Amino acid sequence: IFLNNQRNSSMDLLRDIGQADQLTSAREENRVLQEKVKELTVRVHELLAENQSLKAEVELYRRECALPTFSKLTLGGNHNDDNIVGGEAKGSFIDTMDDEIDDFVTSGNGLYPDDPAVTLPQIHGHSNPLCCVLHPDDSTLATGGADSCLNLCRWGSALAPGDESSVKAVNDAINISCGAPVICASFAQVNQGRGLPIVAAGCMDGSVRLVHCGFDFCGSERILKPESVGSERVVNGINERGIRHGKYVKNVVWSPNAPIVATASADGTVQLTKVGNMDCVMSDDDDDDGNNNHGTVSMEVIQSMHFDGPVESICFLDDGDTLCCYVRGTSYLSYFDLKDGCKQTKMSLNGESAGTGCFDEHVSFAVLSLNPSPNNGGKYLAAATDTSRNIILETRSERIVRNLYGHKNDGFSNPKIAWSSSGQYLYGNAQDESCVCVWDIASSSIVKRLDVGMGGHSGFVRDIYSSRNTDTVATVSFDKSAKVWLRGL
């Protein structure tokens, strides 16, 4: 019995030692694996950086070599024909490079808005602000929110001395209920805005509200109703509440030289509406809010366009004579000549001619924001994509002038961009950073990140708007605030 007990004790001891050895071995193996994971993670980041660099080099080589498309090479096409688009000569490759040198050979002078002079907290209460736009005279900031309201704020009053001036500016702001979350907005331009103190608000339910934005408005209902439409039935894109699309509104822009508002929707339509005289009238019938004092304005749909996919972004060019738009799933920008029956011209985003029937008809990104340069007559377009890439393009051309990297935006993000008033810098948001990136276009590099350490936002930046007249930039964020950035002293 004694010997059996000794033998069992020895076996238990050996078993414990074996288990301890296995545990030690497993821990060591786990440590080695963790080190390997760290090593591979670093390598993945290195490869991602190399991939972005290679993308930039490919674009550079394509421009330097000016290679024809594969289909033209195989079919014996003449590469020189690429210099003819729409019956007009584009000029030689050397000429276009000269244009680039004239505009972007030197870096900016370092003067751009980077001082968060005004912070407007809880601009939409506990709801997130979704868009922002400045009045053409920069005096009023309009923001749209998830609370279905459009907010009109005289942000300049927040510059007054005292810690409560920003809160007072928010409390004094005008809130207009639009019936659905406001996801884009645009003021009528100055040369038309004198007779039309209107801001257009694009909503999640597909409606576009035209709102009286004057602070001297005497009525009780700021949302302007169209003349001569008396039912909920949609007539030529307009019902009794105004402009109407089938799905949510992606973009709203006003023509700079005519009282025409262009609206783009996820339903694949673009609508051009001419807005006429505005009157403040008294009615015997109360509206849904119990008000009987409202304004009316004439609305006439002058053009409707229909596409196969959602219209992601639009902008006016040539003083309002051209409308540029991007439709998801396409590899080109469409330019519509509004003086020639909306004649369409396609310009490839690949730097080659569209419609060649080869792989160059496909791109790996979507353009979610378009913004023309503030000077040179809108000679350039800034395009924000969903692949961590912002592009500077020559307007009405297929030439890519600059590719801007250094941030992250994918298909689940909401990339926004805005030019500085000088046209030498570009502002943009990032998906994984609560900051505004500032690129020097000439060097294609980020020169500053306006983050929380610089007084910036503490949440994702949802929208950016830059004044074309002064060094003023507005931003809104999921930290519930709006900020107005001015140029530091």
Side-chain angles (χ1 to χ4, degrees):
I1 294 172
F2 174 77
L3 291 176
N4 287 335
N5 291 337
Q6 289 292 333
R7 188 180 299 111
N8 291 336
S9 298
S10 299
M11 293 297 294
D12 291 341
L13 179 61
L14 290 174
R15 188 181 301 111
D16 292 341
I17 293 174
Q19 291 176 346
D21 288 343
Q22 288 179 357
L23 181 59
T24 302
S25 176
R27 286 174 176 171
E28 180 62 22
E29 184 178 353
N30 184 53
R31 186 189 65 79
V32 173
L33 289 174
Q34 288 179 344
E35 292 295 329
K36 190 64 176 178
V37 168
K38 292 180 181 179
E39 179 183 338
L40 291 175
T41 301
V42 172
R43 182 56 180 158
V44 166
H45 287 297
E46 291 175 350
L47 290 174
L48 288 173
E50 291 176 9
N51 184 49
Q52 295 296 334
S53 177
L54 287 173
K55 285 181 181 179
E57 289 182 15
V58 167
E59 295 294 338
L60 179 62
Y61 291 150
R62 291 182 67 176
R63 294 200 304 270
E64 290 180 348
C65 297
L67 291 175
T69 62
F70 176 76
S71 61
K72 286 182 177 286
L73 286 172
T74 55
L75 297 176
N78 185 359
H79 173 53
N80 292 330
D81 291 342
D82 286 344
N83 290 330
I84 307 297
V85 174
E88 297 184 0
K90 289 167 58 181
S92 68
F93 182 74
I94 294 178
D95 290 339
T96 58
M97 289 301 292
D98 287 342
D99 290 341
E100 177 183 346
I101 290 174
D102 289 342
D103 293 322
F104 295 115
V105 67
T106 59
S107 294
N109 57 12
L111 301 177
Y112 53 84
D114 61 354
D115 175 27
V118 169
T119 298
L120 302 170
Q122 304 287 317
I123 189 71
H124 284 269
H126 295 292
S127 299
N128 284 319
L130 303 178
C131 63
C132 63
V133 61
L134 287 167
H135 189 275
D137 66 7
D138 295 339
S139 64
T140 303
L141 174 66
T143 60
D147 59 351
S148 302
C149 287
L150 181 75
N151 181 291
L152 301 176
C153 180
R154 290 287 187 91
W155 63 271
S157 62
L159 294 170
D163 296 336
E164 300 301 320
S165 58
S166 294
V167 175
K168 186 177 186 304
V170 172
N171 292 336
D172 291 343
I174 299 171
N175 283 284
I176 303 100
S177 177
C178 294
V182 179
I183 52 181
C184 54
S186 178
F187 281 100
Q189 299 299 299
V190 166
N191 53 351
Q192 297 299 329
R194 294 190 186 96
L196 291 174
I198 294 175
V199 56
C203 300
M204 187 69 75
D205 64 353
S207 65
V208 179
R209 310 293 196 188
L210 298 186
V211 178
H212 194 299
C213 61
F215 278 76
D216 57 349
F217 180 72
C218 60
S220 56
E221 175 56 51
R222 284 181 174 268
I223 295 181
L224 303 172
K225 295 186 177 181
E227 297 176 348
S228 70
V229 178
S231 70
E232 283 291 340
R233 185 171 61 90
V234 177
V235 179
N236 294 327
I238 295 176
N239 66 7
E240 70 168 5
R241 291 182 174 272
I243 301 168
R244 185 77 183 185
H245 288 274
K247 292 183 179 179
Y248 62 94
V249 181
K250 290 273 193 175
N251 215 193
V252 176
V253 291
W254 286 86
S255 169
N257 68 351
I260 296 173
V261 61
T263 56
S265 169
D267 65 2
T269 63
V270 171
Q271 187 167 297
L272 298 176
T273 304
K274 185 176 181 180
V275 180
N277 294 327
M278 181 174 60
D279 293 307
C280 185
V281 300
M282 295 294 294
S283 171
D284 294 332
D285 299 324
D286 290 346
D287 57 22
D288 292 342
D289 298 323
N291 300 316
N292 62 3
N293 190 3
H294 63 268
T296 62
V297 66
S298 63
M299 303 181 196
E300 177 189 0
V301 178
I302 58 176
Q303 190 62 253
S304 293
M305 305 177 191
H306 304 267
F307 303 93
D308 291 334
V311 183
E312 296 289 349
S313 50
I314 56 175
C315 66
F316 278 105
L317 300 168
D318 303 325
D319 289 330
D321 292 336
T322 301
L323 183 71
C324 179
C325 71
Y326 172 79
V327 179
R328 181 173 285 275
T330 63
S331 62
Y332 51 83
L333 295 179
S334 293
Y335 294 83
F336 295 94
D337 187 347
L338 303 184
K339 298 181 68 176
D340 190 14
C342 287
K343 180 180 178 181
Q344 181 183 14
T345 302
K346 299 177 181 179
M347 291 295 174
S348 174
L349 291 165
N350 281 313
E352 300 287 350
S353 295
T356 58
C358 66
F359 60 83
D360 282 327
E361 288 189 359
H362 301 279
V363 293
S364 60
F365 57 83
V367 176
L368 302 185
S369 181
L370 280 172
N371 205 323
S373 57
N375 43 29
N376 298 322
K379 183 178 179 181
Y380 300 102
L381 276 175
T385 76
D386 58 357
T387 57
S388 305
R389 174 190 179 193
N390 293 331
I391 309 172
I392 306 297
L393 301 129
E394 190 174 58
T395 303
R396 293 175 299 279
S397 166
E398 296 171 351
R399 184 167 71 89
I400 295 175
V401 179
R402 289 289 190 278
N403 286 295
L404 307 179
Y405 298 104
H407 65 303
K408 181 180 179 181
N409 275 317
D410 62 19
F412 298 98
S413 62
N414 187 54
K416 297 292 183 180
I417 47 175
W419 295 80
S420 67
S421 60
S422 67
Q424 296 299 312
Y425 296 95
L426 193 76
Y427 293 85
N429 60 355
Q431 177 183 3
D432 59 346
E433 297 178 84
S434 300
C435 73
V436 176
C437 300
V438 184
W439 282 270
D440 173 70
I441 297 175
S443 64
S444 303
S445 60
I446 295 178
V447 294
K448 189 170 288 187
R449 279 182 163 86
L450 306 178
D451 54 20
V452 67
M454 299 188 64
H457 292 286
S458 60
F460 168 73
V461 177
R462 169 72 186 198
D463 199 11
I464 307 170
Y465 184 87
S466 178
S467 169
R468 291 177 173 268
N469 304 313
T470 65
D471 287 326
T472 307
V473 171
T475 57
V476 290
S477 165
F478 284 173
D479 64 6
K480 310 292 191 299
S481 73
K483 288 183 182 289
V484 178
W485 305 76
L486 304 177
R487 200 174 79 186
L489 299 178

